[in-house]
Every structure is written in structure tokens, then in C-alpha cells.
Amino acid sequence: NAGRFVCGDEATALFCASGVYQAVPCRGARGCTGGLVAPICDARTAMEGEACMPPSNDDHACTADRARALVCKDGKWRAWRACKGARGCVAIADVVACDNTIADVGDPCASADSFACSVDGASLLACRGDRMATTRACRGIGECRVDVDSRKVACDDSVGREGDACDPAGATACSADTKNELVCEGGRFVRGRACRRRDGCSPQRGARPLCAE
């Protein structure tokens, strides 16, 4: 019958489509079990590009290295999110959890409210469209850091360079050489007033960086 599947072996399900059985990998820890009566295919672990079980669109799985989460679309496993945070990708029961608090520019994302630290801790990334993009440079002593339990990210942008990405407009920072204040205009830091005193510009985390008066 169309839509029916049986276990071909311990790691493969055979799904009936248009009168032909098609192989679907069952890479999860339980493999394919249950015989002919109540077969179960554990596909919580999968490989991008391999077949997934129709009609299970929007089902999710983790790659074997736990670095990525996949989604089942049109019968194939496709990239969904990069999971580069400390907890990686974890499948518990039927729920797949992806720690995407660490990311690279260009990694896939799904939510406009999604933020992450770059792998080197130098930037705060935000989801723009369906890809992660740099939104702020984090050159202060605190860099970009993640609280593992709350999954909140914090960016110390009290130090910057001209041309660094910044947010919001009007935000200020100290130049790395402490000789100038920088001002955020049009999403980039530009040179502001010069700090002519010997103490120069003093980055104060959580407060407005100031030139010594």
C-alpha cells in the first residue's frame, strides 16, 4: 500500500511510493525496528541530501557530529540550522534542540529575533532573512559571550574601529588606540571627536565611552 513502510534491515526502512519500495535511512540509535506489524524508523540522526520519510515535511533531525540540524522537505533532509554552541544538536524523544548561540556569517537561521556570537567572539551576529550576518563588532575586553544556561548573548562594543558594524545609530565607542571617540552612523562606526588629553578615550562597559576632559 502507498505510504506503508517496512524494515529492510536494522538501519533502513523501505517506503512504498507509486508501487515501488524506496530506501530511507534510519540512522538514529534505535535504527529500524518493529518488523512488519509496527515498524519504527529512528531518523533523529540523518545526513543532508538523504531521503526522509514522506509525508513528514518539517520533521527535524541532527547530523551525526551534532553540528547541524536538518529539516525534512519534499522527501529530502535539508540544512535547517547550524548548531555550533556548546550543546550542539540534541534529539530527545521527538524534539530536536539546536544550540545556535555560536555561529558564522552565512549560517542558516529561521528567526528575526535570533542572535549569536561569532566563533572567535569578536562579533555579534543577527538573523537577517534566512542567514546570520554581523550586526555589531565586540572589541571590548568582554568580547561577545554566551550564557550557556539562559542562552543570552552579550556584546562589549565599547571599543571599535572605523568601519565596524554597529547598532543603534548614535552609539559611541573608543578607538582601539584611545585617541578618538567613534559614533555609529548608518550602521558603521565613523570617527567622532578627538580625545586630546593624555588619558585619551576611556571605554566604560555599560556606560558611554568618554574622552577625558
Side-chain angles (χ1 to χ4, degrees):
N1 294 331
R4 180 188 176 194
F5 76 91
V6 297
C7 291
D9 56 39
E10 293 180 353
T12 309
L14 298 176
F15 177 83
C16 183
S18 301
V20 178
Y21 277 115
Q22 298 179 358
V24 176
C26 308
R27 295 185 178 275
R30 293 181 295 174
C32 195
T33 57
L36 297 175
V37 179
I40 296 173
C41 175
D42 184 353
R44 293 174 299 176
T45 300
M47 290 180 63
E48 188 174 349
E50 283 190 337
C52 54
M53 192 75 71
S56 55
N57 276 354
D58 298 325
D59 278 359
H60 296 89
C62 296
T63 55
D65 61 5
R66 298 178 54 214
R68 288 172 296 156
L70 308 176
V71 61
C72 180
K73 287 290 186 184
D74 301 321
K76 297 286 186 182
W77 288 112
R78 305 184 188 278
W80 182 53
R81 291 182 182 173
C83 311
K84 296 175 180 175
R87 293 176 175 170
C89 185
V90 179
I92 302 174
D94 293 326
V95 178
V96 169
C98 174
D99 184 351
N100 59 344
T101 53
I102 302 293
D104 284 307
V105 171
D107 280 346
C109 57
S111 170
D113 297 325
S114 178
F115 292 90
C117 289
S118 61
V119 174
D120 62 5
S123 304
L124 176 69
L125 309 181
C127 188
R128 298 289 181 261
D130 61 355
R131 299 288 167 177
M132 298 300 290
T134 301
T135 185
R136 286 157 63 187
C138 311
R139 299 187 188 278
I141 192 170
E143 300 183 316
C144 189
R145 298 185 180 180
V146 177
D147 183 293
V148 175
D149 292 326
S150 68
R151 298 187 64 179
K152 291 183 178 180
V153 296
C155 173
D156 183 354
D157 58 357
S158 60
V159 176
R161 295 176 183 169
E162 289 182 66
D164 277 350
C166 59
D167 184 63
T172 59
C174 289
S175 61
D177 61 8
T178 73
K179 293 181 179 180
N180 292 88
E181 269 192 358
L182 304 176
V183 181
C184 185
E185 294 182 2
R188 299 286 173 181
F189 274 128
V190 298
R191 184 179 299 186
R193 61 176 174 163
C195 301
R196 304 185 184 282
R197 293 284 298 273
R198 182 177 62 182
D199 293 338
C201 188
S202 300
Q204 301 174 27
R205 193 176 183 191
R208 181 183 176 87
L210 297 173
C211 288
E213 300 294 342

